[in-house]
Amino acid sequence: MNTDAALAVVDLALRYGFVDRMDEATAELQRLGWRPEPIDGDGSCLDTKWQFPPSDYMWRVYSGRADAEFSVGLMVNTDLDSKAIALADSIRSVVEHWLSSMEVRHTRGGAWELWTDDVRMIELHVHRATPAGPGKAIPPAVQLVVSNTEKP
């Protein structure tokens, strides 16, 4: 698993999370080797799905803007819970470094964490694997969402 690719997206989401246009963030994702794929093109918050193809795991970044709402989401599926937890720990250290000089509220509960301030909300979730039951087994995953909290 390419942890550097995930951490680069975390850094990118925190750096460019609230620009008026996604041009800079889009150029940076492409430079980092992520490939864009339009989802619906209707201007909603989930316009584009980005994939990181050099990995054996499923990597997705969703980004977009609708009115005053902006969101970047990173989802990485792994093959082991321990790898998802290790990636979440790496992501947490980047988030905490970025927020160290800001006043933020932090909440933690089990497999999720939430950081908020007056303009930003950052959510980090570790999804453990679920065994195959009536449906198909779901692999472990890490999910990060950076969105703004300002209302129009």
Side-chain angles (χ1 to χ4, degrees):
M1 179 166 55
N2 188 342
T3 303
D4 291 341
L7 299 183
V9 170
V10 175
D11 181 68
L12 180 66
L14 295 172
R15 199 166 11 126
Y16 293 114
F18 306 101
V19 294
D20 289 332
R21 296 171 39 191
M22 281 294 291
D23 295 352
E24 289 179 75
T26 296
E28 186 72 4
L29 280 169
Q30 287 175 330
R31 189 188 71 72
L32 292 168
W34 290 77
R35 295 191 185 148
E37 176 184 320
I39 295 174
D40 56 24
D42 68 357
S44 71
C45 265
L46 297 177
D47 280 358
T48 307
K49 173 173 72 172
W50 294 82
Q51 301 213 19
F52 191 73
S55 175
D56 293 334
Y57 299 111
M58 185 182 299
W59 296 65
R60 295 179 308 275
V61 173
Y62 295 98
S63 62
R65 173 179 288 283
D67 300 321
E69 184 180 338
F70 178 87
S71 180
V72 173
L74 168 68
M75 175 73 86
V76 181
N77 290 99
T78 67
D79 58 348
L80 298 171
D81 284 341
S82 60
K83 289 182 181 178
I85 291 167
L87 180 55
D89 289 343
S90 297
I91 289 171
R92 181 182 309 106
S93 68
V94 173
V95 170
E96 289 175 345
H97 173 76
W98 264 93
L99 299 177
S100 63
S101 62
M102 302 174 197
E103 242 181 81
V104 296
R105 295 170 291 287
H106 179 241
T107 308
R108 187 174 189 163
W112 61 270
E113 289 185 69
L114 177 68
W115 294 267
T116 57
D117 62 16
D118 292 339
V119 296
R120 180 183 354 228
M121 182 167 59
I122 302 167
E123 301 168 81
L124 178 63
H125 298 263
V126 175
H127 302 280
R128 296 192 182 265
T130 60
K136 132 181 167 179
I138 299 173
V142 176
Q143 180 179 19
L144 173 80
V145 178
V146 178
S147 55
N148 66 358
T149 57
E150 292 182 338
K151 302 297 177 210

